[in-house]
Amino acid sequence: MIAAVATVPTQSASRYLQQVCKHWTHNLQVSFTADHGTVAFPKDARGADYPADALVTFDATAAALAIRIDASSAEQMAGLQGAVARHVDRFAFREAPLSFDWQPG
């Protein structure tokens, strides 16, 4: 597994965390509270019945949304970084684009 992290400055971290997690509940394995969320991505994009091989973790503070991606390959990591950024920006449209400075985890 490889990991990447980003700390995204925003005062609406909890709201974005919950919106993104709720959005992904329709086809992914998701667990979340107001300040912590996890989303498991399956090996096969057809649905959550397949074994997960990537995990995205969100943690909200008053000043930022911390995101960690654990992926099985560099290709998967790049795809998930883009997908996470696009989805968070979609819900943060009033202040988007947000700054995602991905660093090795």
Side-chain angles (χ1 to χ4, degrees):
M1 292 292 266
I2 57 174
V5 296
T7 300
V8 182
T10 179
Q11 294 183 358
S12 301
S14 177
R15 180 169 17 135
Y16 302 152
L17 176 159
Q18 292 177 72
Q19 288 175 308
V20 169
C21 286
K22 283 179 191 174
H23 174 74
W24 275 331
T25 59
H26 68 280
N27 65 347
L28 297 170
Q29 189 175 15
V30 177
S31 172
F32 69 97
T33 64
D35 59 357
H36 178 78
T38 59
V39 181
F41 285 82
K43 288 182 183 181
D44 187 314
R46 290 179 289 179
D49 324 343
Y50 296 85
D53 71 342
L55 184 69
V56 178
T57 305
F58 300 95
D59 287 295
T61 68
L65 178 60
I67 305 167
R68 178 183 173 95
I69 300 174
D70 292 290
S72 60
S73 71
E75 285 181 324
Q76 184 185 49
M77 176 63 74
L80 285 172
Q81 287 172 336
V84 168
R86 283 190 307 276
H87 280 81
V88 173
D89 273 348
R90 181 183 305 161
F91 293 110
F93 64 91
R94 288 183 182 92
E95 60 179 310
L98 296 173
S99 173
F100 293 84
D101 183 20
W102 295 105
Q103 301 295 318

XYZ file of all heavy atoms in Angstrom:
795
model
N 0.844 -1.186 0.000
C 0.000 0.000 0.000
C 0.885 1.243 0.000
O 1.944 1.253 0.611
C -0.894 0.034 1.241
C -1.963 -1.040 1.304
S -3.250 -0.874 0.084
C -4.468 0.025 0.972
N 0.394 2.269 -0.672
C 1.044 3.570 -0.629
C 0.047 4.569 -0.070
O -1.165 4.360 -0.153
C 1.553 4.011 -2.022
C 0.416 4.036 -3.045
C 2.687 3.117 -2.488
C 0.820 4.595 -4.394
N 0.543 5.631 0.513
C -0.342 6.599 1.159
C 0.014 8.016 0.733
O 1.166 8.314 0.420
C -0.238 6.475 2.674
N -1.009 8.866 0.745
C -0.824 10.296 0.498
C -1.763 11.034 1.439
O -2.843 10.547 1.779
C -1.135 10.651 -0.950
N -1.336 12.222 1.859
C -2.142 13.044 2.756
C -2.214 14.468 2.225
O -1.299 14.931 1.534
C -1.579 13.052 4.197
C -1.643 11.659 4.802
C -0.155 13.560 4.225
N -3.300 15.126 2.558
C -3.462 16.542 2.230
C -4.237 17.199 3.363
O -5.163 16.601 3.919
C -4.206 16.726 0.914
N -3.846 18.397 3.706
C -4.593 19.203 4.666
C -5.165 20.370 3.888
O -4.420 21.194 3.352
C -3.679 19.692 5.809
O -3.134 18.544 6.462
C -4.474 20.519 6.819
N -6.482 20.414 3.797
C -7.181 21.389 2.962
C -7.758 22.478 3.862
O -8.688 22.219 4.632
C -8.307 20.695 2.168
C -9.017 21.673 1.261
C -7.753 19.508 1.387
N -7.229 23.690 3.775
C -7.735 24.765 4.622
C -9.178 25.129 4.270
O -9.489 25.420 3.119
C -6.800 25.940 4.317
C -5.629 25.369 3.600
C -6.114 24.125 2.933
N -10.059 25.062 5.254
C -11.454 25.465 5.103
C -12.101 25.511 6.479
O -11.763 24.710 7.348
C -12.256 24.516 4.190
O -13.617 24.972 4.130
C -12.228 23.083 4.688
N -13.014 26.415 6.661
C -13.762 26.477 7.920
C -15.028 25.624 7.862
O -15.782 25.568 8.826
C -14.089 27.923 8.263
C -12.845 28.732 8.566
C -13.157 30.152 8.975
O -14.310 30.580 9.010
N -12.114 30.899 9.309
N -15.245 24.954 6.741
C -16.434 24.115 6.562
C -16.079 22.640 6.422
O -16.774 21.880 5.756
C -17.212 24.583 5.326
O -17.597 25.934 5.454
N -14.991 22.222 7.038
C -14.488 20.859 6.878
C -15.529 19.801 7.256
O -15.715 18.830 6.530
C -13.222 20.669 7.704
N -16.204 19.980 8.366
C -17.181 18.991 8.797
C -18.319 18.867 7.784
O -18.746 17.756 7.453
C -17.744 19.358 10.168
O -18.741 18.433 10.542
N -18.787 19.974 7.280
C -19.875 19.947 6.302
C -19.439 19.209 5.038
O -20.172 18.364 4.526
C -20.325 21.365 5.946
C -21.451 21.354 4.940
C -22.125 22.674 4.713
N -21.396 23.820 5.177
C -21.229 24.942 4.475
N -21.750 25.053 3.281
N -20.571 25.959 4.977
N -18.250 19.507 4.520
C -17.774 18.857 3.306
C -17.535 17.366 3.523
O -17.872 16.543 2.671
C -16.511 19.530 2.776
C -16.696 20.998 2.471
C -15.624 21.876 2.539
C -17.938 21.528 2.127
C -15.782 23.223 2.261
C -18.113 22.883 1.857
C -17.028 23.723 1.922
O -17.184 25.059 1.658
N -16.952 17.015 4.659
C -16.736 15.603 4.997
C -18.065 14.851 4.943
O -18.172 13.811 4.295
C -16.122 15.505 6.392
C -15.882 14.134 7.025
C -14.840 14.262 8.110
C -17.130 13.504 7.592
N -19.087 15.386 5.602
C -20.386 14.709 5.655
C -21.053 14.647 4.287
O -21.641 13.620 3.918
C -21.293 15.408 6.659
C -20.801 15.238 8.091
C -21.655 16.000 9.072
O -22.789 15.603 9.317
N -21.134 17.099 9.608
N -20.954 15.712 3.501
C -21.578 15.714 2.176
C -20.916 14.698 1.245
O -21.607 13.967 0.538
C -21.519 17.112 1.561
C -22.474 18.085 2.228
C -22.328 19.494 1.689
O -21.231 20.045 1.644
N -23.444 20.070 1.268
N -19.585 14.664 1.233
C -18.889 13.714 0.374
C -19.195 12.284 0.815
O -19.493 11.418 -0.016
C -17.365 13.977 0.365
C -16.617 12.839 -0.294
C -17.062 15.287 -0.340
N -19.146 12.032 2.109
C -19.435 10.686 2.598
C -20.869 10.268 2.276
O -21.099 9.151 1.799
C -19.149 10.584 4.094
S -17.375 10.553 4.484
N -21.831 11.143 2.501
C -23.227 10.815 2.166
C -23.361 10.535 0.674
O -24.081 9.616 0.269
C -24.157 11.963 2.559
C -24.444 12.033 4.025
C -25.340 13.212 4.342
C -25.417 13.450 5.825
N -26.179 14.680 6.157
N -22.687 11.323 -0.144
C -22.758 11.144 -1.593
C -22.278 9.752 -2.000
O -22.838 9.131 -2.904
C -21.920 12.231 -2.284
C -21.803 12.061 -3.758
N -22.852 12.332 -4.609
C -20.775 11.642 -4.529
C -22.467 12.092 -5.857
N -21.210 11.673 -5.836
N -21.217 9.270 -1.362
C -20.638 7.988 -1.743
C -21.320 6.788 -1.095
O -20.990 5.638 -1.404
C -19.142 7.980 -1.456
C -18.339 8.589 -2.573
C -18.656 8.608 -3.896
C -17.084 9.239 -2.464
N -17.679 9.237 -4.612
C -16.692 9.636 -3.765
C -16.239 9.535 -1.399
C -15.508 10.299 -4.022
C -15.058 10.202 -1.669
C -14.699 10.579 -2.961
N -22.297 7.002 -0.194
C -22.953 5.858 0.454
C -23.784 5.026 -0.519
O -24.064 3.871 -0.226
C -23.867 6.286 1.625
O -24.860 7.172 1.144
C -23.073 6.899 2.759
N -24.174 5.590 -1.664
C -25.033 4.840 -2.577
C -24.326 3.677 -3.265
O -24.988 2.767 -3.739
C -25.686 5.773 -3.603
C -24.739 6.377 -4.587
N -23.948 7.463 -4.284
C -24.453 6.048 -5.863
C -23.225 7.765 -5.344
N -23.507 6.924 -6.317
N -22.981 3.683 -3.331
C -22.326 2.551 -3.986
C -20.984 2.143 -3.369
O -20.307 1.291 -3.939
C -22.141 2.824 -5.478
C -21.201 3.969 -5.750
O -20.848 4.723 -4.854
N -20.789 4.115 -6.997
N -20.624 2.734 -2.239
C -19.363 2.380 -1.587
C -19.602 2.102 -0.113
O -20.628 2.494 0.451
C -18.346 3.519 -1.741
C -17.919 3.851 -3.162
C -17.115 5.142 -3.193
C -17.129 2.711 -3.771
N -18.636 1.457 0.512
C -18.716 1.184 1.944
C -18.215 2.424 2.679
O -17.034 2.773 2.586
C -17.871 -0.028 2.274
C -18.029 -0.540 3.667
C -17.229 -1.829 3.853
O -16.366 -2.185 3.057
N -17.530 -2.522 4.932
N -19.121 3.099 3.408
C -18.823 4.393 4.031
C -19.223 4.375 5.494
O -20.259 3.813 5.862
C -19.597 5.530 3.311
C -19.357 6.869 3.976
C -19.233 5.588 1.837
N -18.406 5.017 6.319
C -18.710 5.220 7.729
C -18.286 6.640 8.067
O -17.194 7.066 7.696
C -17.929 4.210 8.568
O -18.057 4.504 9.938
N -19.171 7.396 8.759
C -18.771 8.760 9.093
C -19.542 9.336 10.266
O -20.646 8.896 10.577
C -18.907 9.687 7.879
C -20.323 9.959 7.445
C -20.986 11.108 7.856
C -20.988 9.077 6.619
C -22.286 11.362 7.450
C -22.289 9.326 6.202
C -22.929 10.482 6.624
N -18.894 10.313 10.908
C -19.488 11.151 11.942
C -19.250 12.590 11.484
O -18.754 12.820 10.381
C -18.824 10.913 13.313
O -17.453 11.325 13.232
C -18.910 9.460 13.745
N -19.527 13.542 12.337
C -19.318 14.945 11.974
C -17.848 15.298 11.804
O -17.517 16.240 11.083
C -19.950 15.857 13.022
N -16.956 14.527 12.437
C -15.537 14.901 12.355
C -14.603 13.813 11.827
O -13.398 14.022 11.733
C -15.025 15.402 13.699
C -15.160 14.374 14.804
O -15.693 13.279 14.567
O -14.721 14.671 15.926
N -15.143 12.654 11.437
C -14.292 11.577 10.917
C -15.098 10.726 9.934
O -16.262 10.406 10.197
C -13.781 10.695 12.057
C -12.940 9.551 11.598
N -11.621 9.696 11.232
C -13.242 8.242 11.419
C -11.138 8.531 10.855
N -12.099 7.621 10.968
N -14.467 10.368 8.831
C -15.137 9.510 7.865
C -14.157 8.617 7.141
O -12.992 8.967 6.973
N -14.649 7.441 6.725
C -13.849 6.530 5.917
C -14.689 6.049 4.740
O -15.899 5.818 4.874
C -13.351 5.310 6.713
O -14.472 4.595 7.227
C -12.429 5.713 7.840
N -14.016 5.894 3.601
C -14.662 5.392 2.397
C -13.759 4.311 1.820
O -12.594 4.569 1.528
C -14.878 6.508 1.355
C -15.578 5.962 0.120
C -15.657 7.679 1.940
N -14.299 3.102 1.685
C -13.551 1.988 1.113
C -13.891 1.889 -0.368
O -15.063 1.850 -0.741
C -13.906 0.689 1.825
N -12.854 1.861 -1.194
C -13.035 1.744 -2.635
C -12.703 0.321 -3.059
O -11.626 -0.190 -2.771
C -12.138 2.745 -3.375
C -12.649 4.143 -3.289
C -12.391 4.923 -2.171
C -13.424 4.675 -4.302
C -12.876 6.213 -2.071
C -13.909 5.967 -4.215
C -13.644 6.738 -3.107
N -13.618 -0.321 -3.783
C -13.408 -1.705 -4.205
C -12.413 -1.806 -5.359
O -12.196 -0.850 -6.097
C -14.795 -2.141 -4.658
C -15.455 -0.886 -5.086
C -14.914 0.201 -4.193
N -11.844 -2.990 -5.510
C -10.950 -3.255 -6.638
C -11.709 -3.109 -7.945
O -11.199 -2.647 -8.934
C -10.369 -4.662 -6.547
C -9.348 -4.811 -5.466
C -8.785 -6.208 -5.469
C -7.805 -6.358 -4.328
N -7.204 -7.680 -4.272
N -12.960 -3.528 -7.936
C -13.794 -3.470 -9.120
C -14.831 -2.377 -8.908
O -15.563 -2.399 -7.931
C -14.472 -4.826 -9.327
C -15.228 -4.899 -10.625
O -15.966 -3.950 -10.944
O -15.078 -5.915 -11.319
N -14.916 -1.444 -9.802
C -15.789 -0.279 -9.631
C -17.274 -0.614 -9.716
O -18.103 0.268 -9.564
C -15.444 0.781 -10.681
N -17.614 -1.877 -9.924
C -19.028 -2.231 -10.060
C -19.794 -2.186 -8.749
O -21.015 -2.179 -8.756
C -19.175 -3.608 -10.685
C -18.766 -3.627 -12.145
C -18.911 -5.002 -12.708
N -17.868 -5.841 -12.127
C -17.716 -7.121 -12.387
N -18.544 -7.734 -13.187
N -16.747 -7.811 -11.832
N -19.118 -2.135 -7.630
C -19.877 -2.074 -6.389
C -19.092 -2.529 -5.189
O -17.965 -2.986 -5.290
N -19.713 -2.424 -4.036
C -19.051 -2.690 -2.767
C -18.966 -4.177 -2.434
O -18.441 -4.537 -1.402
C -19.764 -1.941 -1.655
N -19.476 -5.076 -3.307
C -19.382 -6.506 -2.999
C -17.958 -7.033 -3.195
O -17.663 -8.145 -2.838
C -20.231 -7.365 -3.923
C -21.521 -6.748 -4.333
O -21.954 -5.803 -3.699
O -22.091 -7.255 -5.300
N -17.122 -6.250 -3.809
C -15.757 -6.673 -4.112
C -14.819 -6.225 -3.003
O -15.040 -5.195 -2.384
C -15.322 -6.098 -5.462
C -16.164 -6.636 -6.589
C -17.368 -6.048 -6.910
C -15.775 -7.763 -7.287
C -18.166 -6.557 -7.920
C -16.554 -8.280 -8.304
C -17.752 -7.681 -8.620
O -18.532 -8.185 -9.605
N -13.745 -6.960 -2.745
C -12.820 -6.594 -1.660
C -12.213 -5.210 -1.879
O -11.766 -4.904 -2.981
C -11.740 -7.669 -1.727
C -12.287 -8.752 -2.574
C -13.339 -8.157 -3.450
N -12.218 -4.420 -0.862
C -11.664 -3.066 -0.957
C -10.150 -3.133 -1.062
O -9.511 -3.947 -0.422
C -12.070 -2.246 0.257
N -9.600 -2.268 -1.914
C -8.157 -2.201 -1.959
C -7.671 -0.772 -1.822
O -6.511 -0.491 -2.036
C -7.601 -2.870 -3.210
C -7.861 -2.101 -4.489
O -8.739 -1.241 -4.509
O -7.176 -2.369 -5.473
N -8.552 0.125 -1.467
C -8.164 1.508 -1.197
C -9.077 2.067 -0.110
O -10.246 1.697 -0.014
C -8.256 2.358 -2.447
N -8.527 2.958 0.685
C -9.298 3.563 1.768
C -8.992 5.053 1.804
O -7.823 5.456 1.768
C -8.934 2.927 3.106
C -9.732 3.395 4.316
C -11.182 2.919 4.226
C -9.097 2.882 5.596
N -10.046 5.859 1.867
C -9.893 7.304 2.025
C -10.433 7.656 3.404
O -11.532 7.243 3.783
C -10.659 8.092 0.941
C -10.530 9.587 1.165
C -10.149 7.713 -0.443
N -9.639 8.407 4.164
C -10.016 8.822 5.510
C -10.068 10.340 5.563
O -9.155 11.010 5.075
C -8.990 8.305 6.538
O -8.872 6.890 6.390
C -9.416 8.631 7.957
N -11.150 10.857 6.129
C -11.339 12.292 6.299
C -11.390 12.621 7.781
O -12.052 11.924 8.547
C -12.670 12.747 5.684
C -12.811 12.497 4.210
C -13.436 11.361 3.732
C -12.334 13.420 3.288
C -13.589 11.135 2.375
C -12.477 13.209 1.925
C -13.106 12.065 1.465
N -10.723 13.707 8.188
C -10.814 14.215 9.553
C -11.016 15.716 9.482
O -10.231 16.419 8.827
C -9.555 13.875 10.362
C -9.508 12.397 10.718
O -10.385 11.964 11.486
O -8.635 11.691 10.209
N -12.065 16.201 10.153
C -12.404 17.617 10.116
C -11.992 18.310 11.405
O -12.195 17.780 12.496
C -13.905 17.786 9.910
N -11.400 19.482 11.258
C -11.125 20.371 12.385
C -11.807 21.700 12.074
O -12.398 21.872 11.004
C -9.613 20.594 12.586
O -9.101 21.339 11.479
C -8.867 19.282 12.731
N -11.687 22.643 12.972
C -12.302 23.953 12.748
C -11.638 24.712 11.598
O -12.257 25.584 10.996
C -12.228 24.780 14.025
N -10.394 24.364 11.272
C -9.649 25.128 10.267
C -9.301 24.356 9.002
O -8.836 24.955 8.037
C -8.360 25.663 10.884
N -9.513 23.027 8.987
C -9.064 22.263 7.817
C -9.735 20.895 7.737
O -10.232 20.370 8.730
C -7.551 22.080 7.854
N -9.687 20.342 6.534
C -10.105 18.971 6.282
C -8.846 18.173 5.963
O -8.153 18.452 4.981
C -11.072 18.915 5.091
C -11.567 17.529 4.678
C -12.326 16.855 5.826
C -12.435 17.631 3.434
N -8.518 17.226 6.831
C -7.357 16.359 6.616
C -7.835 15.121 5.869
O -8.835 14.501 6.252
C -6.721 15.972 7.941
N -7.114 14.778 4.804
C -7.489 13.636 3.976
C -6.291 12.705 3.848
O -5.172 13.154 3.612
C -7.923 14.100 2.569
C -9.048 15.132 2.661
C -8.353 12.897 1.719
C -9.323 15.853 1.359
N -6.545 11.416 3.997
C -5.501 10.397 3.801
C -6.044 9.368 2.825
O -7.182 8.901 2.975
C -5.139 9.723 5.112
C -4.099 8.614 4.935
C -3.790 7.893 6.236
N -2.926 6.759 5.996
C -1.592 6.791 6.116
N -0.998 7.904 6.500
N -0.872 5.713 5.872
N -5.238 9.028 1.842
C -5.589 7.985 0.888
C -4.570 6.864 1.016
O -3.369 7.106 0.970
C -5.593 8.510 -0.563
C -6.611 9.640 -0.730
C -5.881 7.365 -1.537
C -6.563 10.299 -2.097
N -5.062 5.645 1.208
C -4.235 4.451 1.189
C -4.661 3.664 -0.046
O -5.813 3.226 -0.136
C -4.439 3.614 2.456
C -3.898 4.323 3.683
O -2.670 4.429 3.785
O -4.707 4.780 4.519
N -3.743 3.514 -1.000
C -4.051 2.870 -2.276
C -3.064 1.748 -2.549
O -1.982 1.692 -1.965
C -3.994 3.904 -3.397
N -3.432 0.870 -3.477
C -2.587 -0.276 -3.779
C -1.624 -0.032 -4.930
O -0.725 -0.835 -5.152
C -3.452 -1.502 -4.069
O -4.280 -1.242 -5.177
N -1.799 1.065 -5.670
C -0.892 1.350 -6.782
C -0.819 2.853 -7.023
O -1.700 3.610 -6.592
C -1.372 0.664 -8.060
O -2.548 1.289 -8.547
N 0.214 3.267 -7.740
C 0.373 4.685 -8.074
C -0.760 5.161 -8.979
O -1.244 6.289 -8.828
C 1.723 4.921 -8.733
N -1.209 4.313 -9.895
C -2.328 4.680 -10.778
C -3.596 4.903 -9.977
O -4.336 5.855 -10.209
C -2.574 3.589 -11.823
C -1.568 3.550 -12.930
C -1.909 2.451 -13.927
O -2.403 1.374 -13.515
O -1.660 2.679 -15.123
N -3.870 3.992 -9.067
C -5.058 4.119 -8.238
C -4.961 5.371 -7.373
O -5.938 6.097 -7.217
C -5.241 2.875 -7.364
C -6.514 2.921 -6.550
C -6.621 1.748 -5.612
O -5.672 1.447 -4.897
N -7.767 1.086 -5.614
N -3.782 5.654 -6.843
C -3.581 6.842 -6.015
C -3.893 8.098 -6.807
O -4.624 8.970 -6.343
C -2.147 6.896 -5.487
C -1.826 8.148 -4.683
S -2.807 8.302 -3.155
C -2.012 7.051 -2.159
N -3.356 8.206 -8.001
C -3.593 9.385 -8.829
C -5.084 9.555 -9.128
O -5.623 10.664 -9.052
C -2.796 9.295 -10.124
N -5.751 8.454 -9.442
C -7.183 8.514 -9.716
C -7.984 8.948 -8.502
O -8.904 9.769 -8.610
N -7.639 8.417 -7.348
C -8.368 8.775 -6.131
C -8.097 10.209 -5.700
O -8.999 10.896 -5.223
C -8.042 7.801 -5.000
C -8.707 6.440 -5.130
C -8.168 5.476 -4.079
C -10.222 6.563 -5.028
N -6.862 10.675 -5.867
C -6.573 12.073 -5.537
C -7.451 12.993 -6.371
O -8.041 13.944 -5.852
C -5.095 12.390 -5.766
C -4.194 11.793 -4.726
C -2.724 11.943 -5.053
O -2.330 12.082 -6.215
N -1.887 11.915 -4.027
N -7.565 12.712 -7.647
C -8.416 13.516 -8.512
C -9.882 13.418 -8.141
O -10.592 14.423 -8.081
N -10.359 12.212 -7.883
C -11.767 12.012 -7.539
C -12.121 12.698 -6.227
O -13.166 13.363 -6.116
C -12.082 10.521 -7.455
N -11.260 12.565 -5.225
C -11.522 13.200 -3.927
C -11.542 14.720 -4.085
O -12.469 15.392 -3.606
C -10.483 12.754 -2.873
C -10.553 13.621 -1.626
C -10.690 11.291 -2.510
N -10.565 15.272 -4.773
C -10.506 16.724 -4.954
C -11.734 17.229 -5.710
O -12.344 18.237 -5.316
C -9.224 17.115 -5.684
N -12.124 16.540 -6.778
C -13.309 16.964 -7.549
C -14.573 16.924 -6.700
O -15.394 17.840 -6.748
C -13.491 16.086 -8.787
C -12.550 16.396 -9.914
C -12.937 15.652 -11.195
N -13.082 14.214 -11.026
C -12.080 13.333 -11.056
N -10.841 13.759 -11.235
N -12.321 12.041 -10.919
N -14.733 15.865 -5.915
C -15.948 15.740 -5.106
C -15.986 16.770 -3.979
O -17.027 17.370 -3.728
C -16.090 14.316 -4.573
C -16.641 13.374 -5.575
N -15.867 12.809 -6.557
C -17.902 12.926 -5.773
C -16.638 12.033 -7.311
N -17.873 12.084 -6.861
N -14.877 16.965 -3.291
C -14.865 17.984 -2.231
C -15.121 19.363 -2.845
O -15.936 20.136 -2.330
C -13.545 17.947 -1.429
C -13.472 19.125 -0.457
C -13.423 16.624 -0.663
N -14.451 19.678 -3.958
C -14.674 20.977 -4.613
C -16.121 21.153 -5.060
O -16.658 22.256 -5.020
C -13.740 21.153 -5.809
C -12.388 21.734 -5.437
O -12.234 22.220 -4.286
O -11.480 21.718 -6.289
N -16.762 20.073 -5.486
C -18.173 20.156 -5.905
C -19.042 20.642 -4.744
O -19.925 21.469 -4.925
C -18.657 18.792 -6.385
C -20.105 18.809 -6.848
C -20.603 17.456 -7.249
N -19.752 16.856 -8.277
C -19.737 15.560 -8.550
N -20.497 14.715 -7.880
N -18.956 15.086 -9.495
N -18.785 20.132 -3.549
C -19.582 20.541 -2.399
C -19.098 21.860 -1.802
O -19.838 22.517 -1.084
C -19.607 19.436 -1.341
C -20.350 18.220 -1.812
C -19.685 17.047 -2.099
C -21.722 18.270 -2.017
C -20.368 15.927 -2.557
C -22.420 17.168 -2.482
C -21.737 15.991 -2.754
N -17.880 22.245 -2.122
C -17.301 23.501 -1.625
C -17.370 24.580 -2.700
O -16.528 25.460 -2.756
C -15.856 23.272 -1.209
N -18.393 24.524 -3.540
C -18.443 25.402 -4.706
C -18.337 26.880 -4.365
O -17.841 27.661 -5.160
C -19.707 25.131 -5.540
C -20.988 25.429 -4.820
C -21.578 26.672 -4.896
C -21.604 24.443 -4.057
C -22.763 26.946 -4.232
C -22.789 24.703 -3.393
C -23.372 25.959 -3.473
N -18.749 27.283 -3.178
C -18.672 28.705 -2.800
C -17.231 29.161 -2.576
O -16.930 30.331 -2.709
C -19.489 28.968 -1.544
C -20.976 28.911 -1.799
C -21.779 29.259 -0.545
N -23.188 29.148 -0.806
C -23.922 28.057 -0.614
N -23.350 26.960 -0.157
N -25.196 28.045 -0.885
N -16.343 28.235 -2.220
C -14.949 28.603 -1.984
C -13.965 27.815 -2.851
O -12.759 27.945 -2.700
C -14.579 28.461 -0.505
C -14.722 27.069 0.063
C -14.313 26.990 1.522
O -13.224 27.457 1.879
O -15.115 26.442 2.305
N -14.492 27.024 -3.777
C -13.627 26.217 -4.654
C -12.955 27.099 -5.705
O -13.463 28.169 -6.034
C -14.462 25.133 -5.330
N -11.834 26.669 -6.230
C -11.183 25.409 -5.907
C -10.372 25.502 -4.618
O -9.711 26.501 -4.362
C -10.263 25.162 -7.101
C -9.922 26.531 -7.582
C -11.138 27.371 -7.303
N -10.471 24.459 -3.832
C -9.692 24.380 -2.604
C -8.270 23.927 -2.932
O -8.004 23.404 -4.011
C -10.350 23.398 -1.627
C -11.737 23.795 -1.122
C -12.346 22.662 -0.305
C -11.675 25.062 -0.312
N -7.378 24.106 -1.981
C -5.973 23.753 -2.167
C -5.710 22.336 -1.650
O -5.834 22.081 -0.450
C -5.099 24.754 -1.411
O -3.760 24.353 -1.443
N -5.357 21.414 -2.564
C -5.011 20.053 -2.215
C -3.533 19.864 -2.494
O -3.115 19.674 -3.628
C -5.813 19.044 -3.058
C -7.274 19.059 -2.759
C -8.108 19.981 -3.364
C -7.824 18.133 -1.887
C -9.467 19.999 -3.098
C -9.180 18.148 -1.610
C -10.009 19.079 -2.212
N -2.725 19.949 -1.455
C -1.276 19.798 -1.590
C -0.912 18.391 -1.113
O -0.561 18.180 0.037
C -0.556 20.868 -0.775
C 0.949 20.800 -0.925
O 1.420 20.208 -1.905
O 1.652 21.326 -0.048
N -1.033 17.406 -2.024
C -0.805 16.014 -1.659
C 0.658 15.752 -1.339
O 1.535 16.157 -2.083
C -1.258 15.088 -2.794
C -2.733 15.148 -3.041
C -3.364 15.780 -4.079
C -3.770 14.571 -2.247
N -4.723 15.619 -3.974
C -5.000 14.883 -2.860
C -3.767 13.812 -1.085
C -6.221 14.449 -2.348
C -4.985 13.392 -0.570
C -6.198 13.716 -1.197
N 0.880 15.082 -0.233
C 2.222 14.710 0.225
C 2.247 13.209 0.488
O 1.216 12.625 0.836
C 2.572 15.443 1.524
C 2.533 16.953 1.427
C 3.594 17.488 0.480
O 4.724 17.010 0.506
N 3.231 18.448 -0.356
N 3.406 12.573 0.367
C 3.478 11.143 0.719
C 3.060 10.941 2.174
O 3.384 11.742 3.050
C 4.960 10.801 0.535
C 5.483 11.855 -0.382
C 4.685 13.101 -0.091
N 2.314 9.878 2.407
C 1.809 9.612 3.750
C 2.710 8.715 4.500
O 2.555 8.334 5.598
